[in-house]
Amino acid sequence: MKKICTFFGLLISMCLLLNVGFSSLSVKGAAAGNTEQTSDPNFTNLIVFARFADEDEFVDDIYQGVSVREIIDNSYNTAYYSVGDYYRNASSDKLRMNSLYLFDNGGSLQLKHERGYYAGYSADNPIGYKTSGEKAYRMYELRTDWSDAINKAIQNGNHITNYDGSQTYSYEDLDKNRDGKIDSITVIYKNTTQNIVINRSDPLWNYKDYADYVEITLADGRMLQSQYYVQVINNYSTLYMANEDRKPIVSLKSPIHEMGHIFGLLDLYNSSGQTPVYFMSAMANAISPVPQGLSIKEKEALGWTDPSTLKTITEPGKYKVKLSGTATGTDDCIGYKAGIPELNRTLYLEYRNFSTDGSKYDKSEKQLTNSETSNIKSGLVCYLAKSDIRFPSNLNGKPGNWALEVMGGTQSTKSDAALGVNDSLQVTDKLKVTVTAIEGEVLTFQIEGEMEQHVHSGGQATCTKKAVCEECREEYGEIDPTCHLNLQRRGFKEPTQEETGYTGDLVCTDCNAIVEAGEIIDKLPVTPPDGKPEPEIPPVSPGNPPIMLEGDKAEVSKNPDNNSGAVFRSSAPLANLIEVKVDENVLVKDKDYTACSGSTIITLLPSFLAGLSEGAHNIAIVSTTGTATADFSVISDPAPAPPAPVPPASTPVPPASGNTNTDGSSTDTVAGSVSETASTNGSANVSGNSSLPDTAQIKKDSSGTDIKSPQCGEKNCFTLLLEDFIEILKKVLIFLGFSSKI
């Protein structure tokens, strides 16, 4: 038994270790600034401060006259150089990040383990882990540790606020794209003087990962869940201040690099220390304390360019490019690319200025206290990228087979790689690039030789127009007579008690073809089924909006066994229907309600009624000619008593069941294998919550269906589960060659 339990524990640990060994992809430039907390954000980064069980509060510790919490807010939100400003600048205002905070009674979140528990064993740290299996499991425990602390802080009534708690935000603000996931979480651990060694891939290393253990129930009943997060430990003994605002900040090298992983960017350095990109990206070897900008290839991968800002070269000639980081309009070209079939690579070109008068983040010598300086040559930077990879990674690359590399120069740092005036680069034997002029923020270069001929792609041909190529914006191909994009309903006729109506034909306004013929609408009934006189229906017009003919003041049951739905009828024709709302919430057709003609009959489905609270409600049937409204009330009467069941001869006891789900991973903690093929998403989660063993855990099966694990409050249930598992494990071990006498 002891051997089996030991093997099982090792198996769990190794699975968890493998679970954090891959990187994942996700997502989402006009120079733009974020030098004050952004008022129009489209991305929220939730910051939580965390201290370990053996540590005191630290968010109000003072450094250079400023508290930790304010230093962090400077660093992420408001300083001249900040994480939010960096990505707003790199994206040309497409990404507007705002960092908010969750405090526990105004302070940091308390974790349940000591700091040394999450570090390696040593004479100075006797509580540390000793094996790779223990290390992997404690990395998992660290994720659940701070996740549980967040859940507890929210359950105790703490709100999302700004850094000093003077402004409160809604939990909905954490999910700007409304996908049910918190956009990003940054966990900031307390800085420490403990003699604890932290190495790359250790649980306490700065990294990005995935944890879906934070769950927040929103006011409308939706569940908001965590996903990607980064964790960092900052050094406050050395702070930095820009001359422009003199706000102290921490080094932004790690926070900006790790946030890049949140958006999908991967490491451009090599696990052996080689770096074919070096100074040309914050994802390579960034300058400290404020890294330089991203490469044009990375901006393209993140969707921060378009065919007018990143153009494709298919013919030799002279081309002009605007300085990276200074474009002010959507038509300013900040880069070019050209396919090189013989190398299966794409050549990217952009103009970067690293001098003191260069763009904000590319300046190698910024006006910043305590900052490092590097002499980097300005000019045309040329990159070679694998053509079939969206997010390049050099983590496991090697010379001659890099996913992304900077061409030219003799220095390993690539500090002399850019091409100045009259400098040339022989890309291949058949392709050469020469810079002919640099005038202010515009660089002109000549490209000669053979490159991939452009093949039109993308766009959509319609019944009257050819497709427009997404790359060059030129028309190509043939007209598609079957593609009608602009449709209009024509010939509608309202039914009366004397004559049938007509739904009208669906007509293409571009070519006038009838796409869908209309249908006859039945005459209106002379008298309703209850024998009451049919109300007079006034003609519907802009000055005479539709009225509710049926359903006002209705009383309906929320018990699906007692009714077949609630029926409301508007005098507007069905063809004019726009939407249906209950209590100002827009309903989903065929999920919440059905609609049929005569004139417009809306039936609220039992499944929708079951979710309404008891009491008064309002329905609005919105049509192009106006809105008909009605009040109704929902009651909760008991369902009819079911027939007495016939007891079976015996009731078998179902076996205990459980499920652990792991589907992918997302971290940069381990210098392990990284896929070189493009991808757009990845996730990793371990279902369940080890800190709550006596509560039912919501898990998912392979099809995504929720499964609730049984609650085994008695020892007998657990024993049955364990014995079944041991028997299966014995057979597996015997099959693998272990002794049959286990």
Side-chain angles (χ1 to χ4, degrees):
M1 174 67 73
K2 183 177 180 180
K3 291 182 179 179
I4 293 175
C5 292
T6 301
F7 176 79
F8 181 52
L10 178 61
L11 181 62
I12 291 177
S13 299
M14 292 307 297
C15 287
L16 289 167
L17 178 62
L18 291 173
N19 189 43
V20 298
F22 302 92
S23 293
S24 74
L25 313 177
S26 66
V27 292
K28 294 193 171 216
N34 198 61
T35 51
E36 59 182 26
Q37 191 163 14
T38 182
S39 59
D40 57 344
N42 57 14
F43 183 91
T44 299
N45 174 44
L46 175 64
I47 294 178
V48 292
F49 296 94
R51 67 188 191 278
F52 295 95
D54 54 339
E55 297 175 340
D56 297 326
E57 185 56 78
F58 72 104
V59 297
D60 291 316
D61 290 351
I62 302 298
Y63 297 88
Q64 296 188 18
V66 182
S67 67
V68 167
R69 68 171 79 212
E70 186 172 356
I71 293 170
I72 292 301
D73 199 59
N74 293 342
S75 304
Y76 279 85
N77 279 331
T78 64
Y80 181 75
Y81 292 113
S82 70
V83 178
D85 181 69
Y86 179 91
Y87 283 103
R88 191 162 189 167
N89 183 283
S91 68
S92 295
D93 208 36
K94 292 182 176 64
L95 178 68
R96 301 183 297 278
M97 180 191 306
N98 190 19
S99 290
L100 303 178
Y101 301 82
L102 174 66
F103 295 102
D104 188 6
N105 292 321
S108 60
L109 308 185
Q110 180 80 63
L111 304 184
K112 64 184 178 182
H113 287 299
E114 298 178 13
R115 181 183 291 265
Y117 181 81
Y118 295 115
Y121 171 84
S122 68
D124 295 322
N125 185 37
I127 64 172
Y129 50 79
K130 296 181 179 180
T131 67
S132 59
E134 283 184 312
K135 171 182 172 180
Y137 189 77
R138 291 190 186 186
M139 182 176 283
Y140 158 71
E141 280 191 288
L142 182 57
R143 294 197 295 266
T144 59
D145 199 351
W146 58 256
S147 295
D148 291 344
I150 290 177
N151 288 331
K152 183 178 179 181
I154 293 174
Q155 292 165 7
N156 289 340
N158 293 284
H159 297 285
I160 306 300
T161 67
N162 59 347
Y163 83 96
D164 62 3
S166 61
Q167 184 174 353
T168 299
Y169 295 83
S170 168
Y171 290 126
E172 282 83 351
D173 287 322
L174 301 179
D175 178 20
K176 286 298 183 181
N177 63 351
R178 307 290 289 176
D179 65 351
K181 303 291 185 180
I182 297 173
D183 295 340
S184 170
I185 296 178
T186 296
V187 182
I188 300 178
Y189 299 121
K190 182 177 181 177
N191 52 313
T192 182
T193 58
Q194 296 183 45
N195 188 21
I196 294 177
V197 178
I198 302 175
N199 297 310
R200 180 175 297 280
S201 84
D202 284 355
L204 295 177
W205 187 260
N206 295 338
Y207 59 80
K208 167 250 185 180
D209 207 337
Y210 184 97
D212 57 0
Y213 313 121
V214 175
E215 294 183 339
I216 304 173
T217 301
L218 303 179
D220 59 4
R222 293 186 300 115
M223 180 66 73
L224 185 59
Q225 198 171 27
S226 59
Q227 53 168 356
Y228 299 110
Y229 74 93
V230 299
Q231 63 175 41
V232 293
I233 301 175
N234 296 305
N235 174 20
Y236 305 99
S237 59
T238 301
L239 299 177
Y240 309 89
M241 289 184 289
N243 289 346
E244 288 80 359
D245 62 1
R246 308 298 294 177
K247 288 186 175 183
I249 60 174
V250 298
S251 172
L252 302 182
K253 179 178 178 179
S254 289
I256 286 176
H257 178 95
E258 300 304 333
M259 188 59 67
H261 287 307
I262 290 287
F263 302 130
L265 298 178
L266 301 178
D267 291 316
L268 295 178
Y269 53 78
N270 179 263
S271 55
S272 62
Q274 296 173 303
T275 174
V277 177
Y278 217 95
F279 282 149
M280 302 305 168
S281 172
M283 303 308 294
N285 293 69
I287 299 173
S288 180
V290 178
Q292 59 278 20
L294 300 173
S295 69
I296 188 67
K297 166 61 178 174
E298 292 168 293
K299 293 178 182 179
E300 179 193 37
L302 292 168
W304 295 343
T305 64
D306 57 41
S308 27
T309 57
L310 176 60
K311 297 183 178 180
T312 300
I313 299 176
T314 59
E315 300 292 340
K318 281 190 175 182
Y319 297 88
K320 295 181 182 293
V321 61
K322 193 78 176 285
L323 176 64
S324 176
T326 62
T328 57
T330 57
D331 293 330
D332 287 326
C333 178
I334 59 171
Y336 286 91
K337 62 180 181 178
I340 308 176
E342 60 186 290
L343 299 179
N344 190 27
R345 295 288 194 274
T346 300
L347 175 68
Y348 287 83
L349 309 100
E350 65 174 334
Y351 172 29
R352 299 180 70 168
N353 187 348
F354 299 100
S355 69
T356 54
D357 61 346
S359 53
K360 184 174 182 179
Y361 285 94
D362 268 350
K363 293 179 183 179
S364 57
E365 187 175 343
K366 303 176 177 70
Q367 299 301 308
L368 197 71
T369 59
N370 303 319
S371 64
E372 302 173 7
T373 60
S374 300
N375 185 21
I376 308 176
K377 182 181 178 182
S378 302
L380 187 69
V381 180
C382 304
Y383 311 82
L384 270 186
K386 287 188 176 180
S387 301
D388 56 350
I389 295 177
R390 178 183 175 189
F391 289 100
S393 169
N394 287 330
L395 202 58
N396 295 302
K398 58 184 179 180
N401 193 33
W402 299 115
L404 179 67
E405 63 177 307
V406 174
M407 303 191 70
T410 60
Q411 301 297 316
S412 61
T413 60
K414 298 299 180 181
S415 59
D416 62 341
L419 303 180
V421 177
N422 297 324
D423 289 343
S424 297
L425 174 68
Q426 195 73 41
V427 181
T428 68
D429 293 339
K430 302 177 181 179
L431 188 64
K432 181 180 179 181
V433 176
T434 303
V435 173
T436 59
I438 299 178
E439 298 174 352
E441 296 180 349
V442 178
L443 180 148
T444 304
F445 65 92
Q446 175 84 31
I447 188 166
E448 304 170 274
E450 297 180 7
M451 61 206 74
E452 187 174 54
Q453 295 303 303
H454 177 57
V455 177
H456 294 305
S457 63
Q460 184 177 31
T462 70
C463 56
T464 58
K465 295 181 179 179
K466 298 178 181 179
V468 176
C469 177
E470 293 180 350
E471 292 286 342
C472 65
R473 297 298 184 184
E474 293 183 2
E475 287 189 346
Y476 74 97
E478 302 296 333
I479 290 174
D480 182 357
T482 66
C483 182
H484 308 282
L485 296 183
N486 300 304
L487 303 176
Q488 185 182 76
R489 184 72 65 176
R490 295 177 181 174
F492 170 78
K493 178 185 177 183
E494 176 74 21
T496 67
Q497 294 179 356
E498 292 77 25
E499 295 183 356
T500 59
Y502 190 63
T503 62
D505 299 324
L506 197 60
V507 179
C508 174
T509 59
D510 294 326
C511 66
N512 292 320
I514 296 178
V515 177
E516 179 185 286
E519 297 179 353
I520 301 296
I521 304 175
D522 294 339
K523 295 179 182 179
L524 298 179
V526 177
T527 57
D530 57 8
K532 296 179 181 179
E534 179 74 12
E536 182 179 353
I537 304 176
V540 177
S541 65
N544 193 10
I547 62 173
M548 193 69 74
L549 300 176
E550 183 179 343
D552 191 30
K553 309 302 182 186
E555 186 177 83
V556 297
S557 171
K558 65 183 296 179
N559 191 324
D561 294 327
N562 290 344
N563 68 89
S564 59
V567 179
F568 300 87
R569 181 180 169 207
S570 165
S571 62
L574 179 62
N576 291 4
L577 178 64
I578 297 176
E579 63 184 8
V580 178
K581 297 191 290 187
V582 169
D583 300 333
E584 297 303 320
N585 296 314
V586 178
L587 306 191
V588 178
K589 186 179 180 183
D590 296 328
K591 176 184 177 184
D592 301 328
Y593 72 92
T594 60
C596 61
S597 61
S599 295
T600 298
I601 299 175
I602 301 298
T603 302
L604 300 182
L605 298 176
S607 58
F608 172 75
L609 293 173
L612 292 179
S613 60
E614 294 184 52
H617 295 273
N618 175 269
I619 184 173
I621 302 176
V622 184
S623 302
T624 57
T625 52
T627 301
T629 62
D631 295 323
F632 67 98
S633 57
V634 174
I635 60 174
S636 182
D637 51 347
V646 179
S650 62
T651 303
V653 179
S657 64
N659 183 41
T660 299
N661 175 40
T662 58
D663 60 332
S665 176
S666 170
T667 178
D668 63 325
T669 62
V670 185
S673 173
V674 178
S675 172
E676 291 188 344
T677 57
S679 180
T680 57
N681 57 57
S683 64
N685 72 84
V686 180
S687 299
N689 189 331
S690 60
S691 65
L692 302 174
D694 295 325
T695 59
Q697 302 297 319
I698 301 300
K699 307 178 180 182
K700 297 180 182 296
D701 62 17
S702 59
S703 65
T705 305
D706 288 346
I707 303 175
K708 180 170 287 189
S709 300
Q711 301 187 40
C712 296
E714 298 179 0
K715 182 178 180 180
N716 182 41
C717 178
F718 175 78
T719 302
L720 289 173
L721 173 62
L722 185 59
E723 289 176 352
D724 289 344
F725 176 78
I726 290 173
E727 288 302 316
I728 295 172
L729 188 58
K730 281 182 179 180
K731 295 178 181 179
V732 173
L733 292 175
I734 292 172
F735 176 77
L736 294 175
F738 286 79
S739 172
S740 61
K741 297 181 180 181
I742 295 175

